[in-house]
Amino acid sequence: MTANVRYADVEVGTELPEQVYPVTRLDLVRYAGASGDFNPIHWNERVAKSVGLPNVIAHGMFTMAEAGRLVTDWAGDPGALVEYGVKFSAPVVVPDDDAGARISVSGVVKEKRDDNRVVIALTARSGGAKVLARANAVVRLP
Amino acid sequence: MAINRDCLGREYRAAQPYEVTRGKIREFAGAINDPNPLYTDVDAAKAAGHRDVVAPPTFPIIMGMDAAAQAAVDPELGLDFSLVVHGQQSFRYSRPLQAGDVVDNVTRITEVKNLGATEMITLETDISTVEGEHVVTSVNMLVVRGDAAKDRA
């Protein structure tokens, strides 16, 4: 797998088309196991509601991973990513059904830097809310 | 209990090095539903110029979480983990983390501040190979919910 995008072909304003990533309770259980984050607000409705949440919410890091996928799929190589940061602005609420929730992610190139680096601003939404803020990824392209 | 400002700059070191394995990378990639072959297929990873399969960009949160857990049990710091939510997260890479890497990590408390009753603590984890090569820095900002603290008081 080689890079899909070349630095020379990218312009400020180049868009990364929206992708929709589903998330179910099963995904959260798997993510808890793989990451070691067993905070019950990510799998136990009783605990989530007791701390004032509407329901079980996805790990912020799960949402961050899905948003990052838009960039690594676009760049073609996850190793191209040199910086990635987000602020968790709203929770992704995951109902206890087979459909779960959906995380919609889109991106736009907001800056071309020296050294073949490109800055991508990401937008992630779920259930009508903006779930990430200040979500930026820097990739180094060939 | 408020976070002890005297702990600014305090360091926590992982008790032992973390060994990045193909199996753990495969498990993590599966858990984020990402079918990218560079996470699971050694030949594909080598064809892309890597030594072995690479870890997904958010994989080092495993080490960041370990560091946060160490801070949570530091009696002098006063961090109540039951009130903590993840506020911000970033990663700065020198190179991708790969299977076969054996990494040490050192975490430093770089900022403690408050906004009303809510406190924010930033933990910066430097992840380097045991040979001393920097791989990635994970910056983890935790929000300690002051309102929840008030409810419990």
Side-chain angles (χ1 to χ4, degrees):
Chain A
M1 194 173 182
T2 48
N4 297 327
V5 189
R6 303 191 72 80
Y7 179 77
D9 298 333
V10 174
E11 291 167 16
V12 171
T14 297
E15 290 185 8
L16 283 64
E18 182 178 81
Q19 295 286 320
V20 178
Y21 303 104
V23 48
T24 65
R25 291 285 177 90
L26 177 59
D27 292 318
L28 299 184
V29 171
R30 283 185 80 190
Y31 185 81
S35 68
D37 183 350
F38 290 99
N39 188 330
I41 61 172
H42 303 306
W43 49 270
N44 185 320
E45 193 163 328
R46 174 177 53 81
V47 173
K49 287 183 171 167
S50 78
V51 297
L53 293 165
N55 207 326
V56 162
I57 62 167
H59 301 74
M61 290 307 301
F62 182 91
T63 304
M64 185 176 185
E66 299 309 308
R69 236 175 110 181
L70 188 79
V71 178
T72 53
D73 283 348
W74 176 75
D77 184 344
L81 195 141
V82 290
E83 279 178 49
Y84 181 30
V86 306
K87 180 175 193 285
F88 302 107
S89 52
V92 173
V93 181
V94 182
D96 184 18
D97 58 29
D98 296 333
R102 296 160 84 77
I103 303 166
S104 306
V105 185
S106 60
V108 62
V109 173
K110 78 167 185 189
E111 193 186 335
K112 280 185 89 173
R113 288 186 188 162
D114 298 342
D115 200 17
N116 281 32
R117 287 168 194 242
V118 165
V119 184
I120 295 146
L122 292 163
T123 303
R125 297 184 163 276
S126 185
K130 196 174 166 186
V131 295
L132 298 179
R134 284 186 247 149
N136 291 302
V138 181
V139 288
R140 196 189 292 119
L141 299 174
Chain B
M1 184 166 59
I3 293 172
N4 180 2
R5 264 62 176 173
D6 292 344
C7 292
L8 190 65
R10 181 166 288 206
E11 284 190 350
Y12 303 95
R13 201 168 282 270
Q16 52 191 2
Y18 183 93
E19 212 176 322
V20 181
T21 63
R22 290 177 185 168
K24 188 65 187 180
I25 290 175
R26 190 186 316 120
E27 181 193 3
F28 193 90
I32 58 172
N33 296 316
D34 192 333
N36 195 317
L38 269 59
Y39 300 143
T40 51
D41 182 339
V42 179
D43 292 336
K46 285 184 175 168
H50 301 292
R51 189 193 66 229
D52 207 314
V53 291
V54 297
T58 59
F59 183 97
I61 196 61
I62 294 170
M63 289 138 239
M65 289 276 304
D66 275 354
Q70 275 194 68
V73 297
D74 179 347
E76 286 174 42
L77 181 61
L79 178 66
D80 183 348
F81 219 52
S82 69
L83 304 176
V84 161
V85 292
H86 204 170
Q88 292 180 42
Q89 177 67 42
S90 67
F91 299 99
R92 295 192 301 264
Y93 276 91
S94 290
R95 67 156 172 86
L97 193 65
Q98 297 166 68
D101 282 332
V102 181
V103 292
D104 276 326
N105 60 81
V106 181
T107 298
R108 198 173 325 105
I109 299 174
T110 55
E111 189 171 45
V112 180
K113 61 181 183 181
N114 65 293
L115 193 69
T118 300
E119 292 190 298
M120 282 147 283
I121 178 166
T122 302
L123 303 169
E124 209 166 308
T125 304
D126 283 324
I127 299 163
S128 305
T129 66
V130 288
E131 293 84 19
E133 179 195 9
H134 176 261
V135 180
V136 55
T137 296
S138 165
V139 184
N140 187 332
M141 196 272 271
L142 303 174
V143 178
V144 189
R145 298 167 60 198
D147 288 349
K150 202 167 53 192
D151 290 347
R152 284 169 184 234

